[in-house]
Amino acid sequence: MSTKRITIYDLAKELELSVSYVSKALNNKPGVREEVRQSVLKKAAELNFKHNTQAANLRRGSSRTLGVIVPHINQNFFSDAISGIEKACTENKHNLIICQSHEKSDIEEAAIETLIHQNVDCILISLSKETQSAKVLEQVLEHKINLIQFDRCDENFPGHRVINDNKEATYKAAKSMIDEGYQRLAFIGGPLHMDLFLHRKEGFIKAINEAGIKVPDDFIVDDNISKEAAFQTALRLLGLPEPPDAFLAISDLQALGIILAITQSGRKIPEDIGVFGYANEPFTEIITPSISSVDQNSEKLGYQAAMVYFDHILNTESDKIITKIIESDLIIRSSSKRNNVPVTL
């Protein structure tokens, strides 16, 4: 059996027709008799001919393909964001290529190179933890490819962004714990060169300042993004003479590490110590205690990021920079709710 792919030239030769005429028949263009069109379609089916859409798109100057790069595919937040992007692509008859950086800047750069070589029309990116330079973003624009940042963005780099209300959501999460009676709140954050983690820290500080609560400097810990780092930090803080009575984390994996540390210390959740996470990963509601979390509506965020391309870049000639903010929801569960005190959001 031949492994050679049947081309439109092979099809035209079999039918003894010109390539342009066969192309018109396949694409249902005018100027082709219906009986000829049917014979072309029949022969195409017999020869298992597949239309080379990539070549056709290149002739049109568009690949009708978007690329997305995320830190991790296997986290619910990012998989839901990808689902939203894919939904928008399907609605607009575009394809999607998915890459992940594994939080590594060099893998992220390689993914961008791959998408550039694939001639995508637009790259949507949520930056890796290691990325501290706008060089990778500049590379996209240098190749005349549209760029949309979402979730993890470099706010100093001019361009389209779709983000959550990180400061406000974290403020509300911290306030909900204060309203439950917690007074010695600790904050386990992320790398501050990433704007969303900086904004979450600002939201926490706003809430404790507004409540007149003073917390020790070592209760606010940055760049503890992994479960293991949060576990070790929580163990250290719980060993202090006056430990925290609540932890607010900027990810649910951090919150899980904190819960493991609290359990190891012999304390009870939420009676002794409260815990609040971020992202509303599926495990947060099935473990005991269930984890309070911030739901970032990530599928909507991904969908809206892709729609910036379809609604604004593709279909308008405006040079306006688009920034969309997707509102988050607080999900209060047993890890932060003391039954004798009402929650005020």
Side-chain angles (χ1 to χ4, degrees):
M1 181 183 294
S2 172
T3 58
K4 180 177 179 293
R5 179 176 178 175
I6 298 297
T7 69
I8 194 171
Y9 298 97
D10 299 321
L11 188 57
K13 184 177 180 181
E14 284 282 335
L15 293 163
E16 297 182 346
L17 295 171
S18 71
V19 172
S20 61
Y21 198 75
V22 171
S23 177
K24 285 183 179 180
L26 291 170
N27 290 287
N28 201 29
K29 295 291 181 65
V32 179
R33 298 198 312 274
E34 185 57 32
E35 61 269 24
V36 176
R37 190 189 315 279
Q38 292 304 321
S39 68
V40 169
L41 295 175
K42 181 180 178 182
K43 180 58 71 173
E46 288 176 4
L47 297 177
N48 196 28
F49 169 78
K50 301 296 182 184
H51 187 49
N52 190 337
T53 54
Q54 184 178 21
N57 288 334
L58 284 172
R59 288 193 295 271
R60 287 195 296 264
S62 166
S63 66
R64 298 186 68 83
T65 300
L66 273 59
V68 58
I69 305 172
V70 297
H72 296 287
I73 292 174
N74 62 349
Q75 289 184 8
N76 193 62
F77 171 84
F78 289 114
S79 62
D80 281 355
I82 290 170
S83 178
I85 293 169
E86 188 174 44
K87 179 182 178 184
C89 287
T90 300
E91 289 176 355
N92 290 275
K93 296 181 172 58
H94 276 61
N95 301 309
L96 180 65
I97 300 174
I98 302 167
C99 304
Q100 60 179 331
S101 66
H102 300 283
E103 300 285 15
K104 301 292 185 181
S105 57
D106 58 339
I107 298 177
E108 185 175 72
E109 289 180 26
I112 287 175
E113 281 286 340
T114 297
L115 294 176
I116 289 171
H117 287 301
Q118 290 293 321
N119 196 42
V120 297
D121 296 328
C122 180
I123 293 177
L124 299 97
I125 187 169
S126 186
L127 296 172
S128 78
K129 181 180 71 172
E130 286 188 356
T131 302
Q132 298 192 41
S133 168
K135 180 181 176 182
V136 291
L137 304 179
E138 292 168 354
Q139 183 182 6
V140 175
L141 299 185
E142 285 171 1
H143 283 82
K144 310 301 182 185
I145 295 174
N146 295 295
L147 176 69
I148 300 167
Q149 296 185 78
F150 70 98
D151 184 47
R152 299 185 185 182
C153 305
D154 182 342
E155 294 184 5
N156 293 318
F157 187 82
H160 307 295
R161 292 183 292 117
V162 180
I163 56 177
N164 285 112
D165 54 340
N166 288 290
K167 182 176 180 178
E168 182 65 16
T170 311
Y171 163 79
K172 289 179 179 178
K175 188 174 186 301
S176 77
M177 301 187 87
I178 294 167
D179 289 346
E180 287 289 337
Y182 297 106
Q183 288 293 304
R184 293 179 58 80
L185 280 72
F187 176 81
I188 311 299
L192 294 184
H193 70 270
M194 307 194 79
D195 293 306
L196 82 163
F197 296 132
L198 175 61
H199 295 328
R200 290 176 191 179
K201 181 178 180 178
E202 290 171 344
F204 172 80
I205 292 172
K206 176 185 175 183
I208 61 173
N209 286 344
E210 187 178 275
I213 294 174
K214 302 294 184 181
V215 301
D217 290 342
D218 57 358
F219 276 25
I220 299 177
V221 183
D222 301 313
D223 207 3
N224 263 218
I225 199 169
S226 71
K227 182 181 76 174
E228 293 75 16
F231 171 77
Q232 294 297 334
T233 295
L235 274 183
R236 177 178 60 80
L237 294 177
L238 291 168
L240 295 174
E242 294 186 77
D245 65 357
F247 287 87
L248 175 55
I250 51 82
S251 81
D252 289 329
L253 288 175
Q254 281 181 328
L256 184 58
I258 292 165
I259 286 175
L260 293 173
I262 294 170
T263 303
Q264 184 171 308
S265 74
R267 295 172 172 89
K268 293 182 179 180
I269 304 169
E271 295 88 348
D272 298 328
I273 302 178
V275 180
F276 214 109
Y278 222 104
N280 199 30
E281 295 284 340
F283 67 80
T284 56
E285 62 180 338
I286 62 175
I287 69 170
T288 302
S290 58
I291 304 175
S292 296
S293 191
V294 176
D295 189 330
Q296 298 170 261
N297 295 309
S298 52
E299 184 169 353
K300 179 180 179 181
L301 186 145
Y303 181 83
Q304 290 298 325
M307 290 308 296
V308 169
Y309 175 73
F310 294 118
D311 282 348
H312 180 75
I313 299 174
L314 187 61
N315 294 320
T316 72
E317 296 182 357
S318 172
D319 292 330
K320 181 181 178 182
I321 299 298
I322 300 297
T323 299
K324 288 190 175 183
I325 299 176
I326 306 302
E327 187 173 347
S328 305
D329 296 318
L330 260 60
I331 311 297
I332 307 296
R333 299 192 178 100
S334 59
S335 70
S336 71
K337 187 168 175 56
R338 289 170 165 170
N339 294 328
N340 60 329
V341 181
V343 176
T344 304
L345 301 184

